[in-house]
């Protein structure tokens, strides 16, 4: 076996750089065996199984004596690959290495440490141990308040590394110093701070560019050094003692490796990138029809309407579980859905996992054994806000089949999206029993299993379609089922807006690229037009554009006063103009795991000043966005990353990178900048994405002497077919620039799948920041007519329609 370089100096550096904590003092090294693609390290109380998945992913499982390894993971879908490894035994230590990650096992005192390409990452501190209340800081049973004994593992941290992860929280970008509960639980009306929300995940990421995923969904805690002793601790009530260490050369690599491990998100239907009409809620068919028609009358684009719980009941309480149209208020649902679809508007319906004993389906659910049970094996019923209820056992064959049959019937009526609400589940008694475990064992994967049910149902019964799954609860890897999560019932206030970029940025780092907020805020009847305008302007640059709120103050722009409606209209129209760019972000997320919203860490991983920054972020690779999150603000401080110059998207003003500057604010948009050397494909506004195409493309290029080369791309398909790229039903257009002296060359190259026809495409090209009239412009080698505006420094040239795979524009400046 060929060895890779891993010097004694590197090993010594690794051991010296991490605090030298011994593991459990009673754990003694007993031997090591390399076989079947993994390393088995035997100890006095069990065995460690160390398995490489790739050069950037290693899994470690501890199996206590007398137990056997549990191979089942709800998170991991990647199979371990045949990775080249080396095993070196030296005095006092063993080194097990891939071309990237390496593991050092110290014999006495027993210790496991990890490094990436010689750079120390992290080390186990005491290994797996049991903690009692004094160690676990008085931890209590999450439901009952009873003391617990928890299984835990500790890791030694550097004193200066920042920590991210643990799912959806609002505590600041650097989450070090908190002990987080791992128990999905909604937080109604939260503002700028929330330590527990509906989508928790057992994953920690470090500013040193590594992640640790604890591969166990059972309830517990993730402690990000709350005791201030440089310790990361994972605690759980039981389950697998397995974690994966993930590393890479960049944040894109780390998150890409993590999403390879847990699954990449499928590309949603294109209409999911459009505007949604939504409120709590539409009480009858006429309200819904009037709303859709008003969007059209006001020339505001619209792609979907979402129905809250009034579609199946007249009252908020007492009807949950009906899941059939209320015929009094919705007498012609199929005709209504068909009418909407003829206008390019899709229909999405809410559903919840609760069946009340006052609903029309209660007895059916009991008779068919659809519900979770108590210890006596009978359907368990209990009280919560909406009534006396049972909970669908999403883990049982009966529960899954029953619920999918309902969704399948609604799909046959024309419904195109599933909204799964309260899926934490919102109330989940410890006494509940499911087909695969107790409530506390499966609580955190309830939403995960629900999304899986919908995704697999589509794959089986509607394999050509992409599902739309709007849910607020999930687990590690739920992104692979196509979940479009939102951040819960946020307060309709400036504090609610202020927490949203952090939540989306953090979830994107954890593989969940489509986390978004109810634009405008949801909870409480607050009429604040400035807040609404700023939230929607931010929403242009978040993954899903979906205003939603309690109905006392309308969430739809068509029902707001004239000035607010006009500003909202412009925000929505910009969202549609950016469809080519945004849809390509979805493709990159699908293929590479790249988040749509990216923290400054992606741009400057070594800059400690940006580790806690969420006030400014990247939208894709080339937009820099700084939401306005304070009332009455006239100026804002914006940090411009150092690796590029940046241009104001609206005015063209140039900003050098590497500094924070105060910029003036205007009411009609938030600060948005474009990277020098960037290509941004855009299109004319359409009323609905049904009418979208790229045959008439607007291509913007931001020229600057500081950018001798630039690149970009455009992904296109029919917007509907599942796995269109894999089936060869796509076009991928790449843009490239090259600047040599006064010669600027721009190229457009098209790649098509074997089952796709490239359209004839005309391109309206705009080159920004051209300071003088060019001496010549050539298109495909031929002299071209162009226009140059001295005031705006814009050069415009039209490339006539062509089906050619390659186009070129050569400009002599």
């Amino acid at each position: 076996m060929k060895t890779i370089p891993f010097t004694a100096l590197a090993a010594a550096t690794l051991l010296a750089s991490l605090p030298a904590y011994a593991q459990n003092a009673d754990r003694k090294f007993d031997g090591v065996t390399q076989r079947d693609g993994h390393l088995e390290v035997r100890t006095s109380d069990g065995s460690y199984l160390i398995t490489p998945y790739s050069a950037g992913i290693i899994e470690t499982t501890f199996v206590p004596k007398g137990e056997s390894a549990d191979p089942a993971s709800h998170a991991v879908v990647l199979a371990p690959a045949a990775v080249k490894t080396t095993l070196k035994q030296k005095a006092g230590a063993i080194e097990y290495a891939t071309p990237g990650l390496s593991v050092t096992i110290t014999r006495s005192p027993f210790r496991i440490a990890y490094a990436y390409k010689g750079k120390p990452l992290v080390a186990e501190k005491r290994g797996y141990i049991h903690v009692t209340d004094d160690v676990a800081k008085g931890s209590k049973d999450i439901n009952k308040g009873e003391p617990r004994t928890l299984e835990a593992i500790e890791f030694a941290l550097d004193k200066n590394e920042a920590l991210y992860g643990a799912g959806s929280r609002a505590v600041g970008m650097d989450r070090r110093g908190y002990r987080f509960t791992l128990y999905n639980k909604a937080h109604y009306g939260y503002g700028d701070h929330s330590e527990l929300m509906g989508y928790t995940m057992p994953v920690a990421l470090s500013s040193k560019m590594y992640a640790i995923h604890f591969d166990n969904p059972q309830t517990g805690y993730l402690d990000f050094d709350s005791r201030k002793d440089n310790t990361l601790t994972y605690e759980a009530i039981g389950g697998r003692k397995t974690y994966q260490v993930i590393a890479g050369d960049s944040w894109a690599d780390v998150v890409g490796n993590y999403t390879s491990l847990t699954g990449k998100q499928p590309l949603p239907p294109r209409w999911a990138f459009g505007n949604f009409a939504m409120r709590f809620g539409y009480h009858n068919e006429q309200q819904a029809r009037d709303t859709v028609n008003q969007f059209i009358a006001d020339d505001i684009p619209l792609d979907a309407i979402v129905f809250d719980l009034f579609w199946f009941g007249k009252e908020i309480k007492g009807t949950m579980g009906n899941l059939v149209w209320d015929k009094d208020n919705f007498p012609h649902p199929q005709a209504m859905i068909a009418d909407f679809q003829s206008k390019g508007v899709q229909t999405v319906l809410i559903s919840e996992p609760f069946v009340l004993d006052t609903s029309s389906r209660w007895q059916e659910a009991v008779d068919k054994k659809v519900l979770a049970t108590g210890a006596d094996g009978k359907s368990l019923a209990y009280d919560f806000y909406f009534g006396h209820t049972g909970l669908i056992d999403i883990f049982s064959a009966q529960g899954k089949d029953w619920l999918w049959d309902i969704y399948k019937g609604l799909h046959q009526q024309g419904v195109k999206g599933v909204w799964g609400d309260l899926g934490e589940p919102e109330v989940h008694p410890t006494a509940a029993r499911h087909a695969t475990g107790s409530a506390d064992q499966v609580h955190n994967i309830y939403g995960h299993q629900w999304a899986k049910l919908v995704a697999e149902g589509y794959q089986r019964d509607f394999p050509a379609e992409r599902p739309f799954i709007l849910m607020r609860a999930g687990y590690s890897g739920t992104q692979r089922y196509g979940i479009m999560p939102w951040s819960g019932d946020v307060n309709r206030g400036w504090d609610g807006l202020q927490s949203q970029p952090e939540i989306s940025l953090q979830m994107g780092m954890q593989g969940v690229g489509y986390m978004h907020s109810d634009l405008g805020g949801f909870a409480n009847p607050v009429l604040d037009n400035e807040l609404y305008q700023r939230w929607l302007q931010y929403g242009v640059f978040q993954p899903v554009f979906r205003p939603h709120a309690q109905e006392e103050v309308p969430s739809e722009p068509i029902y707001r006063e004239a000035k607010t409606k006009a500003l909202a209209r412009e925000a929505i129209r910009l969202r549609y103009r950016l469809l080519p760019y945004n849809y390509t972000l979805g493709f990159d997320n699908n293929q590479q795991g790249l988040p749509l919203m990216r923290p400054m860490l992606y741009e400057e991983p070594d800059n400690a000043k940006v580790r806690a920054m969420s006030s400014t972020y990247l939208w894709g690779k080339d937009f820099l966005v700084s939401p306005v999150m304070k009332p009455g603000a006239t100026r804002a401080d914006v940090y411009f990353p150092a690796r590029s110059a940046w241009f104001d998207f609206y005015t063209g003003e140039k900003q050098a990178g590497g500094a924070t500057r105060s910029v003036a604010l205007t009411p009609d948009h938030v600060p948005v900048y474009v990277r020098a050397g960037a290509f941004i494909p855009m299109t004319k506004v359409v009323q609905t994405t049904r009418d979208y195409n790229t045959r008439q493309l607007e291509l913007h290029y931001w020229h600057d002497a500081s950018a001798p080369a630039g690149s970009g791309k455009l992904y296109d398909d029919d917007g509907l077919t599942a796995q269109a790229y894999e089936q060869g039903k796509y076009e991928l257009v790449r843009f490239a620039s090259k600047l040599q002296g006064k010669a600027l060359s721009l190229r457009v190259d098209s790649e098509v799948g074997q089952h796709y026809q490239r359209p004839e495409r005309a391109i309206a090209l705009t080159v920004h920041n051209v300071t003088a009239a060019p001496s010549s412009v050539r298109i495909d080698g031929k002299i071209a007519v162009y226009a140059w505006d001295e005031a705006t420094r814009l050069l415009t040239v039209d490339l006539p329609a062509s089906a050619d795979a390659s186009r070129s524009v050569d400009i002599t400046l």
Side-chain angles (χ1 to χ4, degrees):
M1 181 182 294
K2 184 180 178 182
T3 60
I4 63 168
F6 191 91
T7 64
L9 177 61
T13 301
L14 168 63
L15 296 174
S17 65
L18 294 167
Y21 293 102
Q23 294 207 353
N24 185 330
D26 296 328
R27 184 168 292 132
K28 307 298 183 185
F29 176 83
D30 192 39
V32 62
T33 304
Q34 186 177 13
R35 63 185 175 199
D36 300 329
H38 70 265
L39 186 73
E40 180 180 355
V41 182
R42 298 182 299 281
T43 67
S44 55
D45 58 346
S47 297
Y48 281 86
L49 305 178
I50 301 174
T51 307
Y53 279 71
S54 70
I57 307 170
I58 279 184
E59 176 179 278
T60 298
T61 296
F62 179 64
V63 184
K65 275 193 174 177
E67 298 183 19
S68 56
D70 177 4
S73 171
H74 296 279
V76 171
V77 292
L78 184 68
V83 184
K84 288 185 178 180
T85 59
T86 59
L87 181 64
K88 294 183 179 180
Q89 299 201 39
K90 298 183 178 180
I94 297 166
E95 300 162 1
Y96 182 59
T98 74
L101 278 166
S102 56
V103 188
T104 299
I105 301 109
T106 305
R107 291 184 173 91
S108 181
F110 183 79
R111 183 168 175 264
I112 297 179
Y114 299 87
Y116 181 71
K117 296 184 177 179
K119 174 187 173 183
L121 297 179
V122 71
E124 287 191 11
K125 199 168 182 179
R126 289 196 292 169
Y128 277 99
I129 56 174
H130 286 89
V131 293
T132 52
D133 283 352
D134 59 326
V135 176
K137 296 179 70 175
S139 63
K140 301 291 184 180
D141 180 299
I142 293 162
N143 276 328
K144 287 189 172 181
E146 297 173 357
R148 285 192 196 261
T149 297
L150 302 171
E151 296 175 347
I153 184 169
E154 297 177 339
F155 288 83
L157 298 169
D158 286 352
K159 64 180 181 179
N160 294 322
E161 63 186 294
L163 295 179
Y164 315 94
S168 181
R169 321 274 178 169
V171 297
M173 278 297 284
D174 183 357
R175 296 179 168 181
R176 189 163 179 168
Y178 288 91
R179 182 170 184 258
F180 295 115
T181 302
L182 295 173
Y183 186 86
N184 292 350
K185 189 173 181 61
H187 182 173
Y188 180 82
Y190 71 93
D192 58 4
H193 188 89
S194 179
E195 296 181 31
L196 181 59
M197 300 174 71
Y199 199 140
T200 70
M201 282 190 282
V203 60
L205 300 99
S206 164
S207 56
K208 293 170 67 177
M209 282 202 309
Y210 71 85
I212 306 177
H213 175 250
F214 299 95
D215 196 356
N216 177 13
Q218 297 198 27
T219 55
Y221 302 89
L222 191 52
D223 191 322
F224 283 2
D225 193 30
S226 68
R227 298 190 298 269
K228 309 296 184 185
D229 61 355
N230 301 322
T231 305
L232 168 69
T233 308
Y234 170 72
E235 305 159 306
I237 61 172
R240 306 179 78 215
K241 299 171 183 61
T242 296
Y243 63 86
Q244 295 93 21
V245 176
I246 302 110
D249 297 322
S250 65
W251 274 107
D253 284 346
V254 175
V255 178
N257 286 337
Y258 172 74
T259 52
S260 292
L261 181 73
T262 60
K264 297 286 197 293
Q265 175 123 6
L267 186 61
R270 185 153 46 222
W271 59 263
F273 292 86
N275 176 37
F276 288 67
M278 187 171 177
R279 69 161 77 158
F280 180 37
Y282 301 111
H283 291 261
N284 55 60
E285 187 173 318
Q286 194 59 50
Q287 275 189 343
R289 287 181 177 275
D290 289 347
T291 298
V292 170
N293 290 337
Q294 193 62 51
F295 271 96
I296 296 170
D298 286 344
D299 193 27
I300 299 177
L302 182 68
D303 263 272
I305 182 168
V306 186
F307 289 84
D308 214 309
L309 49 75
F310 297 113
W311 75 271
F312 57 71
K314 297 177 181 63
E315 305 295 335
I316 293 175
K317 297 184 179 182
T319 61
M320 196 169 284
N322 285 347
L323 297 180
V324 65
W325 290 97
D326 173 30
K327 289 296 186 181
D328 292 333
N329 288 324
F330 296 92
H332 308 293
Q334 281 188 256
M336 177 187 71
I337 293 168
D339 287 349
F340 290 160
Q341 202 155 33
S342 72
K343 297 169 182 175
V345 177
Q346 311 302 326
T347 298
V348 181
L349 301 183
I350 195 172
S351 56
E352 299 89 359
F354 298 97
V355 182
L356 302 187
D357 63 5
T358 51
S359 77
S360 61
R361 293 187 187 264
W362 168 256
Q363 196 57 49
E364 174 190 340
V366 171
D367 292 344
K368 292 187 175 181
K369 301 186 182 304
V370 165
L371 305 174
T373 68
D376 59 4
K378 297 179 180 179
S379 298
L380 180 69
Y382 51 92
D383 291 325
F384 83 138
Y385 174 79
F386 296 94
H388 195 62
T389 192
L391 175 66
I392 299 171
D393 187 357
I394 208 81
F395 302 93
S396 72
Q398 302 97 307
K400 287 187 284 189
D401 291 347
W402 184 82
L403 186 54
W404 176 248
D405 283 345
I406 292 172
Y407 289 144
K408 189 174 179 180
L410 293 170
H411 182 276
Q412 290 165 350
Q413 295 177 16
V415 174
K416 291 296 183 182
V418 172
W419 174 16
D421 198 13
L422 313 184
E424 293 77 20
E426 182 154 303
V427 179
H428 198 188
T430 293
R433 299 291 182 267
H434 295 270
T436 58
S438 69
D440 287 355
Q441 289 172 329
V442 303
H443 176 85
N444 288 332
I445 50 172
Y446 192 97
H448 180 82
Q449 187 73 18
W450 192 1
K452 179 182 180 182
L453 177 153
V454 178
E456 292 184 347
Y458 266 79
Q459 290 166 7
R460 182 178 60 252
D461 293 329
F462 317 116
E465 292 187 40
R466 305 176 192 176
F468 176 83
I469 306 171
L470 179 68
M471 291 184 176
R472 74 184 188 193
Y475 174 64
S476 313
T478 309
Q479 72 275 354
R480 67 178 177 264
Y481 299 126
I483 189 173
M484 313 293 279
W486 86 99
S487 57
D489 294 337
V490 60
N491 182 45
R492 195 167 359 193
W494 290 94
D495 58 342
L497 171 58
Q498 288 156 10
S499 60
Q500 297 313 306
E502 174 202 343
I503 293 170
S504 289
L505 291 168
Q506 288 270 354
M507 290 296 277
M509 293 173 70
Q510 298 170 72
V512 187
Y514 287 89
M515 174 59 79
H516 65 284
S517 62
D518 288 340
L519 296 180
F522 175 83
N524 302 314
V526 176
L527 178 59
D528 185 331
N529 287 322
E530 183 189 8
L531 171 68
Y532 181 80
Q533 294 157 15
R534 291 307 195 190
W535 210 319
L536 266 62
Q537 289 165 359
Y538 155 66
V540 174
F541 303 95
Q542 73 158 19
V544 178
F545 194 97
R546 190 184 53 78
H548 179 49
Q550 293 173 339
E551 63 183 332
E552 293 87 348
V553 175
S555 54
E556 308 97 328
I558 55 173
Y559 298 122
R560 304 299 287 252
E561 54 88 23
K563 179 184 175 184
T564 300
K565 179 164 71 172
L567 289 171
R569 178 179 180 271
E570 288 311 303
I572 294 166
R573 288 173 66 84
L574 176 58
R575 176 79 176 188
Y576 277 72
R577 289 189 66 207
L578 289 171
L579 271 169
Y581 181 86
N582 294 349
Y583 194 60
T584 304
L585 296 186
F587 173 72
D588 286 343
N589 174 260
N590 167 245
Q591 293 293 306
Q592 303 172 57
L594 286 167
L596 287 75
M597 289 174 63
R598 302 170 195 174
M600 287 299 184
L601 289 168
Y602 270 65
E603 189 74 7
E604 297 183 342
D606 298 323
N607 184 355
K609 294 180 180 179
V610 305
R611 289 179 180 176
M613 183 179 292
S614 63
S615 58
T616 303
Y617 63 88
L618 296 165
W619 176 242
K621 178 173 69 77
D622 291 322
F623 276 111
L624 186 73
V625 182
S626 188
V628 177
M629 295 184 287
K630 294 181 179 178
T634 58
R635 302 195 68 82
D637 290 335
V638 177
Y639 175 72
F640 295 92
R643 291 195 290 185
S644 300
W646 299 88
F647 290 91
D648 189 305
F649 179 65
Y650 299 94
T651 69
E653 181 183 5
K654 180 180 174 180
Q655 298 280 2
T660 298
R661 296 184 180 86
S662 175
V663 301
L665 299 177
T666 63
D668 55 339
H669 62 82
V670 299
V672 178
Y673 294 84
V674 183
R675 183 192 304 273
F679 288 90
I680 305 295
M682 299 173 67
T683 189
K684 289 181 169 55
V685 177
V686 289
Q687 181 60 32
T688 164
T689 59
R690 177 197 60 187
D691 302 326
Y692 167 88
N693 65 70
T694 62
R695 291 191 294 272
Q696 300 284 333
L697 190 67
E698 298 176 14
L699 183 60
H700 294 258
Y701 176 71
W702 272 263
H703 159 69
D704 192 60
S706 67
S711 63
K713 64 174 174 286
L714 162 69
Y715 174 78
D716 199 16
D717 58 25
D718 67 5
L720 295 170
T721 300
Q723 293 190 305
Y725 180 72
E726 289 73 13
Q727 295 182 53
K729 299 177 179 179
Y730 72 91
E731 182 183 18
L732 188 57
V733 186
R734 292 183 172 88
F735 312 116
S737 69
K738 188 175 182 179
L739 178 64
Q740 289 183 307
K742 291 186 175 295
L744 174 63
S745 174
L746 307 177
R747 287 192 60 85
V748 179
D749 292 294
S750 169
E751 165 198 323
V752 294
Q754 59 180 350
H755 300 297
Y756 197 83
Q757 179 66 48
R758 179 186 299 109
E760 283 203 352
R761 177 177 293 115
I763 300 175
L765 174 67
T766 300
V767 182
H768 296 249
N769 193 39
V770 177
T771 56
S775 58
S776 73
V777 175
R778 292 179 178 268
I779 297 175
D780 300 331
K782 298 178 181 179
I783 293 290
V785 176
Y786 66 88
W788 175 73
D789 187 299
E790 182 177 10
T792 61
R793 300 200 283 192
L794 296 179
L795 169 67
T796 56
V797 57
D798 290 330
L799 282 66
S802 170
D804 291 347
S806 297
R807 312 292 304 275
S808 64
V809 178
D810 295 295
I811 304 166
T812 303
L813 299 169

